[in-house]
Amino acid sequence: MLKRVAITGITGLAVFAGAAFASEDPISTRQNIMKSNGASAGALFKMVKGEIEYDALTAELALREIFAGAVAFPTLFPEGSETGGKTRASPEIWKDKAGFEATALKLENAALAAIPAATSGLDQLKASLGSVADNCQACHEKYRLEKN
Amino acid sequence: MAKRSLSRLLGLFLLAVVAGLWFTRPQHIEASAIPERDPDLTNGERMFWAGGCASCHAAKDAKGDDKFVLQGGLELKTPFGLFRVPNISTSNAQGIGGWSTADFITAMVKGTSPDGRHYYPAFPYASYEKMRYGDLIDLKAFLDTLPASDNEVAGHDLDFPYSIRPGIGLWKLLYLSDRPFEANPNWDETTNRGAYLATGPGHCAECHTPRDIFGGLNAERWMAGAPNPEGGRGRIPNITPHADGIGNWSAADIAFFLESGFTPEYDSVGGSMASVQENWAKLPGEYREAVAAYLKAIQPIASMKAEDDGS
């Protein structure tokens, strides 16, 4: 009984901590979204380069992950999250919020728009990947700082 | 007596100033020193992208064909003050429309304007001086095909003593090699081609190599990363083949990065490199492969801690 209470307590704490992690630490959350995007970009590019086999479901999953990340992304830069946690967020994000949000919206739309082509064959994925990937550069050019 | 030695001292001082101005006077290249050549516009356009002209001289955030409008106006905030990038479009009034090929080569190789003034080395002529005359002739011919813009750009706002232009002559004595590109006999043709592209037109070292206190590149730390020349947080990365740099990237990874903008971990390019990478994506694959071979061949150097070089 005591054991069960302890386990429930610990699990509850872990869930609570997890929730706190996502909602109260925007820096870590946005960094993890970017890691997911890196994994998605990796899957897509590796298929294009012939390093892994083309798979329509993987392509769709990767593009939907990028879409979902881009939807959440602009909400993760509240006041007070300008520095700390090794963030490379540029002060431009807070100076030019509208521009930043517009850039994220472009990525959302590009990822969704690429799904029909990317899931219909490798050549179509090759032809459409640039329209998504160019958005990574465009945002990182203006809104991300160099590494320390 | 005291008065006489004072005037003698003053005389010596004036002599030193005159001699100094003589030795540091702006240098020119005469039209007679430039070989005859039918310009190759395809090569001229390649030099345009490799040289990154548009990254500074086009309008801020220019995309697509707007990159061919070299209207100037971009502001570079540096520790020396504010530089405003000039208009180098074909406008006669505001750009360089009236320049001869000798004027252009003089600017690129000697850092001297047609009216005989020193350019500030924010214009990376300390790298461009390595470019071959043939490539410069082709580049000039290509620039001549681009649109004119009458955008008027104000002068620089620099801090004292950097505001004294003749002082640049001294800088040139220290940092212009006055020698053309020399191939390394230990390297194959591709690697040397990459060395030429990276150190001449590509001017990679201008950002990736740290500067000494007089603002010249520190050859001991070639491509080993540097403080951001525009200040702010973050550093320009080490691109030597050291573990601190890109030692774990293959040559194919480097070429792929220059083509796609993605690192081997599929992180994307950002900051001022984004525009540079866009330029390199427009070049034939062998250009990127040559630069990759060169970056694998240079000396591996460990990164410095940020606090060691004042960033």
Side-chain angles (χ1 to χ4, degrees):
Chain A
M1 180 65 196
L2 199 66
K3 207 170 158 192
R4 186 183 281 176
V5 170
I7 290 171
T8 313
I10 289 167
T11 314
L13 211 68
V15 168
F16 179 75
F21 177 81
S23 64
E24 287 177 24
D25 185 359
I27 293 178
S28 163
T29 308
R30 66 204 193 205
Q31 285 168 343
N32 274 296
I33 288 181
M34 279 297 137
K35 280 186 187 148
S36 309
N37 282 345
S40 297
L44 295 166
F45 273 109
K46 281 179 182 176
M47 288 193 275
V48 164
K49 286 162 90 178
E51 289 174 9
I52 59 174
E53 209 173 318
Y54 171 77
D55 174 61
L57 184 60
T58 307
E60 178 168 358
L61 199 60
L63 288 166
R64 289 200 179 279
E65 181 286 317
I66 292 170
F67 163 75
V71 173
F73 210 63
T75 66
L76 293 166
F77 295 81
E79 304 287 329
S81 70
E82 292 89 342
T83 53
K86 290 193 176 168
T87 185
R88 290 167 66 194
S90 164
E92 275 304 304
I93 292 172
W94 290 271
K95 268 191 244 165
D96 176 25
K97 251 203 143 105
F100 180 62
E101 283 166 8
T103 311
L105 186 63
K106 265 192 194 164
L107 176 61
E108 274 177 47
N109 290 333
L112 276 191
I115 290 173
T119 51
S120 56
L122 179 58
D123 287 337
Q124 292 90 324
L125 170 64
K126 278 183 187 167
S128 59
L129 183 52
S131 68
V132 181
D134 285 352
N135 291 284
C136 309
Q137 275 96 308
C139 195
H140 290 156
E141 181 172 13
K142 283 182 88 168
Y143 300 110
R144 182 177 68 175
L145 299 174
E146 300 288 349
K147 258 185 212 148
N148 261 313
Chain B
M1 183 61 196
K3 206 173 165 188
R4 211 167 112 198
S5 63
L6 194 71
S7 65
R8 194 178 286 172
L9 206 65
L10 190 70
L12 274 175
F13 174 73
L14 284 176
L15 195 69
V17 167
V18 170
L21 286 174
W22 174 256
F23 283 115
T24 62
R25 72 196 185 282
Q27 308 278 313
H28 286 269
I29 288 169
E30 301 302 329
S32 57
I34 298 166
E36 284 289 318
R37 177 182 171 90
D38 281 333
D40 173 349
L41 288 175
T42 305
N43 184 51
E45 177 165 3
R46 288 175 183 173
M47 287 299 127
F48 174 81
W49 295 120
C53 313
S55 295
C56 279
H57 290 280
K60 194 174 192 292
D61 303 330
K63 295 281 169 211
D65 280 353
D66 287 345
K67 291 193 176 200
F68 292 123
V69 185
L70 305 176
Q71 60 176 38
L74 186 76
E75 296 188 342
L76 300 175
K77 295 186 188 80
T78 75
F80 310 103
L82 179 74
F83 289 102
R84 290 192 183 85
V85 178
N87 180 333
I88 60 161
S89 76
T90 43
S91 160
N92 280 320
Q94 301 297 339
I96 64 170
W99 286 22
S100 68
T101 300
D103 288 339
F104 180 71
I105 294 183
T106 294
M108 293 288 282
V109 173
K110 297 292 181 190
T112 303
S113 69
D115 61 356
R117 287 176 309 139
H118 291 301
Y119 285 121
Y120 283 96
F123 166 37
Y125 53 78
S127 294
Y128 292 153
E129 71 159 345
K130 298 288 176 208
M131 289 180 73
R132 300 191 179 103
Y133 281 14
D135 286 336
L136 289 167
I137 292 167
D138 295 349
L139 174 56
K140 165 76 164 78
F142 178 72
L143 294 177
D144 285 345
T145 68
L146 299 182
S149 157
D150 286 324
N151 182 38
E152 196 175 343
V153 180
H156 308 314
D157 280 324
L158 302 181
D159 305 325
F160 184 81
Y162 311 111
S163 48
I164 310 172
R165 232 175 237 268
I168 302 167
L170 202 62
W171 189 92
K172 286 182 179 175
L173 273 187
L174 288 171
Y175 300 113
L176 282 195
S177 75
D178 227 9
R179 283 203 308 271
F181 171 76
E182 283 160 42
N184 181 332
N186 299 321
W187 287 346
D188 64 15
E189 203 179 310
T190 302
T191 311
N192 273 313
R193 174 85 184 132
Y196 172 72
L197 290 169
T199 60
H203 66 280
C204 310
E206 299 278 345
C207 285
H208 287 281
T209 300
R211 291 172 187 277
D212 59 26
I213 50 166
F214 301 117
L217 296 179
N218 176 358
E220 302 279 293
R221 300 198 51 76
W222 194 248
M223 308 285 192
N228 191 335
E230 294 188 68
R233 284 184 278 158
R235 290 172 60 81
I236 306 295
N238 181 339
I239 54 168
T240 72
H242 190 277
D244 291 350
I246 53 173
N248 59 352
W249 295 29
S250 67
D253 288 338
I254 300 171
F256 178 75
F257 172 79
L258 290 172
E259 183 185 4
S260 70
F262 283 85
T263 70
E265 290 84 40
Y266 295 96
D267 184 5
S268 100
V269 65
S272 44
M273 190 65 199
S275 165
V276 178
Q277 179 269 319
E278 263 181 56
N279 296 337
W280 282 87
K282 293 193 164 68
L283 289 162
E286 72 243 31
Y287 282 60
R288 296 184 288 269
E289 284 152 22
V291 168
Y294 168 69
L295 290 177
K296 291 304 284 181
I298 59 175
Q299 193 69 31
I301 302 171
S303 290
M304 254 183 182
K305 294 267 189 306
E307 57 267 28
D308 292 340
D309 62 5
S311 78

